[in-house]
Amino acid sequence: MCIQNGEWVIISKVKFHFQIRDRIIRSLHFRIILIILCVGILPGIGAYIGIIEAYESRAVSLRTAEIQNQCTILCDQLNSYNYLMDNSSDVINASLTQLTNIYNGRVMIVNKELTVIKDTYALDEGKMIVSENVVRCMKGERTNFYDKKNRYIEVTSPIMEAGADEIAGVMLASVSTDTIEDSLRIFHTKGREILWIISVLVLVFSIFTSYLIVRPLRKITDGIENISEGFQDEELHVDTYRETRQISEAFNKLLARLKTVDASREEFVSNVSHELKTPLASMKVLADSLLIQSGVPVELYQEFMEDIAKEIDRENDIINDLLTLVKMDKTAQNLNIAQVNINNMLELILKRLKPIAEKKNVEIVLESFRPVSAEIDEVKMTLAVSNLVENAVKYNHEGGYVHVSLNADHKFFYIRVADNGIGIPREDQDHIFERFYRVDKSHSREIGGTGLGLSIARNAVIVHRGSIKVYSSPGEGTTFSVRVPVIYVSA
Ligand SMILES: Nc1ncnc2c1ncn2[C@@H]1O[C@H](COP(=O)(O)OP(=O)(O)OP(=O)(O)O)[C@@H](O)[C@H]1O
Ligand SMILES: [Mg+2]
């Protein structure tokens, strides 16, 4: 089916209309206004309807009682004048006419044979009347009836036979309720006016209230938009309500975190470039010094080339460490988890590192308190522990020791790597897990290393949902304590 241009215009207009409507309905402004309008106006409308209905029913019942009284009095008079036999009494006729005039109604006197013997409208005299109310009254039951639509009240009253206890006829009076309707109309007009005034006042109040409630939220949105346009130094402070203050505080925390992440990213990039440039600069100096000299002895060439090769190895180490870190970040979710014997794993690690330790005359001891098996990624965990043991050897004195211990409970296994080496000053302990951080920058070149080892170790432990802690006193030694769950729990 092909849609014509004109149809597209209509479709987009309808869409736009729905979008606008949706936005209005979903806005907090609209909802607050709606709630206040409902709460403010609905009870008013209810009260208005209730008052009008109560007034109407009260007015009708009062009027009915009044008419009924008048009819009873007249019926007694009719009785004493024997009006059913002779309806020529001027006194009675005058009373009937008066009743008709006062209440703007009509009175009919009906005898036992249901024949109208007197009609104040003089329309139905001599005619038969078969009305349910008349028949019921004839049987002794007074009736009254309100016809709201045609606006009249009809009342029947029995006429007793003179000197006897029997019903000889019925007085049927119907009176207009126009006066009640007039009062009701006035009530309606006034009521509607008052309702309109209340509605306008409530509407103004609701708009004002919704503006007051929504204003702080708008301030927050503006603030967030301002800040998200660039990391500006300003913070969000909307203290109007407790909730907006909490939002501001949470946002400021997030902002601080973003700033830290941003700063550490910048620092990382500058560190990486610096670290990568250092070996290159050394190689450049070495190569240049060979190039500018003529007739350089072969031994010097050899020595310089060895230095260049060392720098290439160093560059290679840095790149490898960086790659390991990046891989670790990326593969945090897809670990190669398997059931691993941790005792064996530690034995293998120490066996591999023993030659390095022997070279420095450092003794490595492994103490296993129990056999431990856990669900881990063996390669990553080996990397972490190797880094810790390597450090314990590297930052140790001649003749020092490294004590590795393994223990476990039903939830975690614990590896401790303790040494009696040079230790780490208190102020550096918070930073050693940062990338490229080294305590003794002046000697780091002699000792070697990139400052990425602990960062890699910590990442490896964290992806296992474990933790790593350091306890150290300068000059006395350092202990790294690793805690990892025995059963791997994925995120
Ligand atoms: N057992 C330890 N004793 C004393 N200092 C330590 C110990 N372990 C780490 N450090 C300090 O923490 C710093 C960071 O260690 P990290 O392993 O991250 O880097 P690195 O050993 O310098 O280089 P590499 O990337 O080769 O491991 C070290 O430079 C060192 O100053
Ligand atoms: Mg290290």
Side-chain angles (χ1 to χ4, degrees):
M1 197 177 71
C2 152
I3 297 175
Q4 305 290 314
N5 250 357
E7 288 171 352
W8 269 124
V9 174
I10 294 169
I11 290 172
S12 34
K13 268 186 184 169
V14 171
K15 253 181 154 179
F16 181 69
H17 169 79
F18 276 113
Q19 275 171 2
I20 297 279
R21 204 191 62 174
D22 208 45
R23 276 171 75 171
I24 292 173
I25 290 174
R26 278 166 184 273
S27 81
L28 188 58
H29 261 311
F30 176 76
R31 291 183 185 191
I32 294 170
I33 291 173
L34 198 69
I35 290 170
I36 297 180
L37 280 182
C38 288
V39 172
I41 295 174
L42 286 184
I45 295 175
Y48 163 72
I49 295 171
I51 289 170
I52 296 269
E53 276 180 2
Y55 168 78
E56 188 180 6
S57 88
R58 177 92 185 121
V60 167
S61 64
L62 276 178
R63 179 66 55 87
T64 309
E66 209 176 306
I67 304 294
Q68 205 121 40
N69 269 346
Q70 295 289 338
C71 287
T72 312
I73 295 166
L74 262 174
C75 281
D76 284 348
Q77 284 182 10
L78 287 175
N79 195 2
S80 53
Y81 278 87
N82 204 3
Y83 190 82
L84 289 172
M85 294 300 148
D86 173 16
N87 65 358
S88 61
S89 162
D90 288 339
V91 180
I92 299 294
N93 285 339
S95 295
L96 291 175
T97 313
Q98 197 184 16
L99 183 70
T100 307
N101 291 340
I102 291 173
Y103 292 106
N104 188 18
R106 179 182 184 184
V107 179
M108 285 193 270
I109 309 294
V110 182
N111 67 12
K112 221 173 189 171
E113 285 74 40
L114 301 178
T115 307
V116 179
I117 61 157
K118 174 72 184 172
D119 176 4
T120 52
Y121 277 16
L123 292 173
D124 291 334
E125 277 174 13
K127 291 183 186 167
M128 280 269 290
I129 185 160
V130 189
S131 142
E132 189 198 335
N133 288 341
V134 172
V135 174
R136 273 166 57 197
C137 187
M138 206 63 92
K139 288 179 184 162
E141 187 185 338
R142 283 164 191 267
T143 67
N144 60 66
F145 162 71
Y146 171 47
D147 187 337
K148 189 177 165 69
K149 202 171 144 215
N150 296 311
R151 298 202 249 155
Y152 70 88
I153 300 169
E154 193 184 81
V155 169
T156 58
S157 191
I159 306 164
M160 306 308 283
E161 205 159 320
D165 216 6
E166 247 177 65
I167 297 169
V170 168
M171 177 183 278
L172 176 68
S174 39
V175 297
S176 155
T177 55
D178 278 351
T179 49
I180 297 174
E181 291 297 328
D182 288 345
S183 308
L184 275 178
R185 206 168 302 123
I186 294 168
F187 268 140
H188 271 299
T189 321
K190 286 280 168 215
R192 249 179 255 137
E193 273 171 20
I194 292 170
L195 263 185
W196 271 115
I197 293 170
I198 290 175
S199 304
V200 171
L201 288 179
V202 172
L203 183 70
V204 171
F205 173 75
S206 65
I207 291 172
F208 182 67
T209 313
S210 84
Y211 172 74
L212 277 187
I213 294 175
V214 174
R215 195 171 57 166
L217 298 181
R218 189 152 289 160
K219 263 195 205 167
I220 289 180
T221 319
D222 291 347
I224 292 175
E225 267 168 14
N226 273 348
I227 292 167
S228 55
E229 273 166 20
F231 279 146
Q232 296 178 5
D233 282 335
E234 50 188 276
E235 286 190 335
L236 208 57
H237 291 291
V238 184
D239 294 343
T240 324
Y241 312 122
R242 189 158 49 105
E243 287 76 7
T244 54
R245 200 181 58 235
Q246 284 167 345
I247 295 176
S248 304
E249 283 168 5
F251 179 78
N252 290 340
K253 268 189 207 157
L254 179 74
L255 192 68
R257 173 115 187 83
L258 280 177
K259 280 180 185 164
T260 317
V261 170
D262 204 45
S264 82
R265 190 177 52 85
E266 269 172 23
E267 196 190 325
F268 180 65
V269 171
S270 81
N271 281 346
V272 168
S273 15
H274 177 256
E275 291 300 320
L276 290 176
K277 267 161 79 183
T278 318
L280 279 179
S282 311
M283 285 188 266
K284 171 93 174 121
V285 171
L286 290 165
D288 278 352
S289 57
L290 287 180
L291 280 175
I292 52 169
Q293 294 176 48
S294 51
V296 184
V298 180
E299 299 82 53
L300 198 68
Y301 252 114
Q302 214 149 13
E303 196 191 320
F304 275 33
M305 286 318 276
E306 271 170 20
D307 287 347
I308 289 177
K310 264 191 210 155
E311 292 301 331
I312 291 174
D313 284 345
R314 193 167 140 68
E315 184 95 39
N316 201 29
D317 284 349
I318 298 172
I319 291 171
N320 280 341
D321 280 355
L322 278 172
L323 286 178
T324 314
L325 255 181
V326 172
K327 248 198 245 161
M328 195 88 80
D329 282 350
K330 270 195 179 163
T331 55
Q333 282 97 353
N334 50 42
L335 290 175
N336 192 8
I337 298 292
Q339 196 71 37
V340 175
N341 182 321
I342 309 293
N343 306 67
N344 286 351
M345 185 189 85
L346 288 184
E347 269 166 31
L348 271 174
I349 293 171
L350 297 196
K351 198 171 152 197
R352 231 174 358 96
L353 293 176
K354 256 202 177 121
I356 308 170
E358 271 163 14
K359 240 195 236 169
K360 250 198 116 174
N361 197 19
V362 172
E363 189 195 3
I364 303 187
V365 188
L366 171 63
E367 186 182 13
S368 296
F369 288 95
R370 65 188 73 233
V372 181
S373 167
E375 291 173 3
I376 55 161
D377 181 321
E378 188 170 9
V379 176
K380 291 198 173 72
M381 197 51 73
T382 302
L383 200 65
V385 179
S386 301
N387 269 313
L388 296 182
V389 181
E390 259 172 38
N391 280 350
V393 174
K394 201 155 78 172
Y395 304 104
N396 217 321
H397 308 292
E398 276 274 321
Y401 69 78
V402 176
H403 188 196
V404 181
S405 70
L406 170 66
N407 205 346
D409 54 30
H410 63 290
K411 263 186 157 177
F412 301 99
F413 70 86
Y414 307 88
I415 298 173
R416 280 158 54 91
V417 180
D419 65 62
N420 61 343
I422 60 173
I424 305 165
R426 181 70 203 92
E427 63 274 17
D428 294 302
Q429 287 175 19
D430 294 336
H431 302 288
I432 51 171
F433 294 103
E434 290 167 14
R435 292 160 183 186
F436 297 112
Y437 192 86
R438 281 185 225 143
V439 176
D440 186 356
K441 281 134 197 122
S442 53
H443 291 98
S444 50
R445 264 182 86 74
E446 302 153 26
I447 302 173
T450 55
L452 292 172
L454 281 180
S455 190
I456 293 171
R458 195 180 70 144
N459 269 14
V461 172
I462 283 174
V463 290
H464 284 88
R465 318 215 155 264
S467 65
I468 181 165
K469 282 185 184 143
V470 61
Y471 309 92
S472 184
S473 324
E476 286 177 24
T478 306
T479 300
F480 281 93
S481 160
V482 173
R483 190 187 78 169
V484 177
V486 176
I487 294 165
Y488 176 73
V489 186
S490 61

